[in-house]
Amino acid sequence: EKYLCEKQIQLKKYGEDLFGQTEQYKNSDLNRKVSQILELEETESLLETAMQVEEDLAVMHNGKLEAICFCFPSGWIPGRELKADLSKLHLPVADNDLLLKSSDKLAQHMNKQTIRRWVWNVTTIPGLSNHPSEERPLLNKFENLYFRLETQISTPLDEISSLFLVKVDVLPLPKVWHKRILESINSMTEDVLNYKNLQKVKELLNKM
């Protein structure tokens, strides 16, 4: 219930920034396949389907983004990325050379088997959304930091299509604190620190 209510709030705030689908998606049976794999009743759009689950959803077809509903984006505007391939979607990511080179192979791999990975960050934003327009509270003390974790799953829909799901969890950093978090931040390049807005966080954590 928490996630579905928050999705409605974010959609009222940011509207079509958060979702969209191409004509190709509308005229295909991909939406039926999404509903089928999630064991839900078929809907008219990916937006309607996404409003029944906790996760944010996206569909890749022939290597391109054909539909998306990301109510809790991490620093980007999902609705503007329709028809983008993985190379374009990964372009803003820091230290992305290897990722860009492997984007085509990764897109093909996503159509063949289920992949699960985790992406994390430390932020001053307590909410699930990191939309670029979301207010970012000032960094002042350890107790006001949050650990943001994305569980990302891609799974095949057919031989040339895949469903991408993202579950976002945000917890007070003191609740999950471990020295490995700081060790990892200290190992990051300046580009990664800038990309993740972690420069000042790093300074504060190293003074503890």
Side-chain angles (χ1 to χ4, degrees):
E1 184 178 353
K2 165 192 169 185
Y3 282 86
L4 302 186
C5 289
E6 188 60 30
K7 283 186 174 186
Q8 292 176 350
I9 291 170
Q10 296 303 318
L11 285 168
K12 287 180 180 178
K13 284 175 70 175
Y14 298 118
E16 293 185 2
D17 272 9
L18 305 181
F19 68 93
Q21 58 186 29
T22 65
E23 286 298 320
Q24 181 171 351
Y25 184 84
K26 293 176 186 176
N27 296 327
S28 71
D29 66 345
L30 287 170
N31 203 60
R32 178 188 62 79
K33 292 179 178 180
V34 171
S35 299
Q36 189 174 43
I37 202 168
L38 295 177
E39 299 182 353
L40 299 169
E41 290 188 12
E42 187 175 353
T43 65
E44 295 295 320
S45 67
L46 190 70
L47 169 62
E48 292 179 19
T49 304
M51 295 306 291
Q52 300 179 60
V53 295
E54 294 182 347
E55 293 85 356
D56 282 337
L57 304 179
V59 174
M60 301 292 293
H61 175 71
N62 270 333
K64 301 289 181 67
L65 179 66
E66 297 293 341
I68 191 165
C69 181
F70 267 32
C71 292
F72 313 128
S74 183
W76 62 301
I77 300 179
R80 297 180 183 177
E81 300 298 335
L82 290 178
K83 284 297 182 182
D85 59 17
L86 287 182
S87 293
K88 185 175 184 297
L89 292 171
H90 288 147
L91 197 58
V93 178
D95 292 353
N96 62 4
D97 289 350
L98 185 59
L99 189 58
L100 294 180
K101 289 177 182 177
S102 63
S103 288
D104 288 343
K105 289 184 179 179
L106 177 59
Q108 295 172 17
H109 195 56
M110 289 167 65
N111 301 334
K112 296 177 180 178
Q113 71 178 67
T114 298
I115 305 167
R116 181 170 58 175
R117 69 173 191 155
W118 293 267
V119 176
W120 63 270
N121 200 3
V122 175
T123 177
T124 58
I125 298 176
L128 294 169
S129 175
N130 270 17
H131 185 283
S133 297
E134 200 71 14
E135 182 180 352
R136 186 178 295 273
L138 292 175
L139 173 63
N140 50 21
K141 57 183 179 178
F142 174 70
E143 288 74 17
N144 289 345
L145 287 172
Y146 295 86
F147 187 80
R148 177 185 172 88
L149 176 68
E150 294 186 4
T151 302
Q152 302 181 352
I153 298 175
S154 66
T155 194
L157 290 173
D158 56 40
E159 294 177 353
I160 56 173
S161 312
S162 61
L163 173 65
F164 187 62
L165 307 94
V166 179
K167 169 71 182 298
V168 178
D169 289 287
V170 179
L171 297 164
L173 185 60
K175 187 175 181 180
V176 297
W177 179 250
H178 192 282
K179 65 179 182 179
R180 282 182 294 182
I181 297 174
L182 181 56
E183 289 171 355
S184 181
I185 291 174
N186 284 336
S187 74
M188 294 177 183
T189 65
E190 285 301 312
D191 285 344
V192 172
L193 291 172
N194 289 331
Y195 171 69
K196 289 179 169 284
N197 274 311
L198 284 174
Q199 309 96 321
K200 293 183 179 179
V201 170
K202 178 182 176 179
E203 291 176 13
L204 185 148
L205 294 178
N206 277 290
K207 290 178 180 178
M208 288 172 45

